[in-house]
Structure formats: structure tokens, C-alpha cells
Amino acid sequence: EKAVNLKKDLAEMQEWMTQAEEEYLEKDFEYKSPEELENAVEEMKRAKEDVLQKEVRVKILKDNIKMLAAKVPSSGQDLVTELNVVLENYQLLCNRIRGKCHTLEARMLRNILWSCWIELLQCLDLETAWLNNLEERVQMTGNLPDKLDAVNDALESLESVLRHPADNRTQIRELGQTLIDGGILDDIISEKLEVFNARYEELSHLAVSRQIALEQQLQTMRETDHMLQVLQESLGDLDRQLTSYLTDRIDAFQMPQEAQ
């Protein structure tokens, strides 16, 4: 009776492995979206866990059959032969599911890295366009007319460009690091990031220096303009006072020294 039960257990185990092979290994995997691929990876992970959980049952079967074969060689030998087949098929199933799970994970990783690469190029294009604009604004501040409005407009224009958010640069740094960690296009990415960062630092420092210089120039011009305005008002008052003296035919020698 024990031999019959063990034989039945072997048959059930073999049947389960056949079903697992059909369900997990013979399925035609075609993924039209990253979400479908991610779901397939999760499914294969569950399959791998399910198969590995059967390892305890396989070991119990193996121990029981060996014990029976040791006690009753005549009835246990056939079971040992069937057991060896089941053990071989189980090991093969484990290896194949591990392999397929690894393949799907690698494929998903490639998709993630490819998406990172495309996003990195897009971010670099956006930031490069901004750097070009910044460089143009900095160059425009080089030969300004000595007028308050011109300097003020140039300063406001430069400041509006410098208010550019840092989100894209942060994204570039994170995407680049992800790709480098993934071992994808290390040299190309490192070179792109090095060139971009060098230009970013150079132009940023130059723009900030020009901003400070324009602020100081604008402050000086405003102070000078204020002094000229005060002087002009003082001269206007003096002119009106002298005009009144002339109108009243007052001799200058009768006036205080400053009026003379």
C-alpha cells in the first residue's frame, strides 16, 4: 500500500510539472508595452517561488522511496527509477524557469535603460537650448549703451533666463548615473555629461558675474542720475532766483556772495 501511495505521489508530481511547463514555459510571450513585460516578470517570479516550494515535497518523496527500497528492494526498485526521472525533470524545470525569469528581468532592465537613454537625450536637448539662450543673453550685455533703461532691460532679461529651474539638471544627473550603473554606453554618456556640466558651470558663473556687474552699474547710474536731478533742480531754483533779481533790477553787489 505504501508503494502504491508513493507511486501515486510521483505521478501527481510529474503531472504538476507538466502543467507548470505548459503554463510558464510554453506560453508565447509577446509584450506590447512595458506594463505587460513587468506583469510577465512578476508572473515568472511567482512561478519560480511556486516551483521552489515543491522542493520540500520532492525531498520527502525521495527519502520515503529510498527507505522503502532499502526495506523492500523488490517493490522499491521501480519506484527509484521513476523517482530519478521525476528528480531530473524537476531540476530541469527549476533551471528553465530560473532562466526564463532571468531573461525577462534582463529584457525589462534593457527597456528601462533604453527609456532612460531617450529621456536623458531629451533633457540634454532642453538644457542645451537653455544654455544657448543664456550665452546669447550674456553676449548681449557686452556692448550696452550708457543709458539707464538699456542697462535695466539687459539686467531683467538676464535674470529672467537665470530663473530657470534646476529640475532638468537633477534629472540629467540621475538618469546618467542610472545608465552608468546599468553598464550601458558608459564612455559616451560620461563624455556627454562631462561636456554639458563643464559648459553649464562656465556659463552659469559668467552669467552670475555679468548679473552682479550690471546690478552695480545700474546702482551707480541711478545714483548719478539722482545727483544730476538734484543738481538740475538746484540750478533751476538758482536760475529762477537770479531771474527775479534781474527782473527787480537788483544790483548783484547788494546780494550775498553766492548770488554774486
Side-chain angles (χ1 to χ4, degrees), residues 16 24 45-55:
W16 175 86
Y24 299 125
K45 285 181 178 180
R46 288 193 297 269
K48 184 170 69 173
E49 293 175 0
D50 190 19
V51 170
L52 293 177
Q53 285 175 358
K54 297 291 183 181
E55 187 175 3

Side-chain angles (χ1 to χ4, degrees), residues 24-153:
Y24 299 125
L25 299 176
E26 295 181 4
K27 185 183 296 185
D28 185 16
F29 288 99
E30 290 186 4
Y31 314 106
K32 298 179 181 179
S33 68
E35 291 76 15
E36 290 178 339
L37 179 57
E38 184 177 355
N39 291 337
V41 169
E42 292 302 318
E43 182 180 352
M44 287 308 301
K45 285 181 178 180
R46 288 193 297 269
K48 184 170 69 173
E49 293 175 0
D50 190 19
V51 170
L52 293 177
Q53 285 175 358
K54 297 291 183 181
E55 187 175 3
V56 175
R57 183 180 176 187
V58 171
K59 187 177 185 306
I60 292 173
L61 270 174
K62 180 180 177 181
D63 293 342
N64 289 338
I65 290 173
K66 284 188 175 181
M67 289 176 59
L68 179 64
K71 292 180 179 179
V72 187
S74 58
S75 59
Q77 190 58 44
D78 291 340
L79 288 175
V80 170
T81 302
E82 291 184 34
L83 172 66
N84 290 335
V85 173
V86 169
L87 290 176
E88 183 178 349
N89 290 341
Y90 176 75
Q91 191 60 50
L92 179 61
L93 179 64
C94 289
N95 292 338
R96 290 182 65 189
I97 286 182
R98 284 195 193 97
K100 189 146 194 175
C101 188
H102 176 74
T103 299
L104 291 175
E105 287 176 330
R107 182 174 175 181
M108 185 170 70
L109 177 60
R110 286 196 300 272
N111 285 2
I112 292 173
L113 293 175
W114 176 252
S115 297
C116 287
W117 170 247
I118 297 300
E119 189 175 354
L120 174 63
L121 292 180
Q122 292 173 343
C123 289
L124 282 173
D125 286 343
L126 289 173
E127 290 303 283
T128 298
W130 173 74
L131 286 175
N132 292 339
N133 189 20
L134 179 62
E135 185 175 27
E136 182 181 349
R137 298 297 176 90
V138 170
Q139 291 174 350
M140 289 172 59
T141 64
N143 296 308
L144 293 173
D146 194 19
K147 295 182 179 180
L148 186 64
D149 290 344
V151 176
N152 186 62
D153 290 344

Side-chain angles (χ1 to χ4, degrees), residues 247-259:
T247 302
D248 295 340
R249 298 184 179 277
I250 297 176
D251 193 308
F253 290 104
Q254 298 175 359
M255 294 294 99
Q257 183 66 34
E258 66 272 12

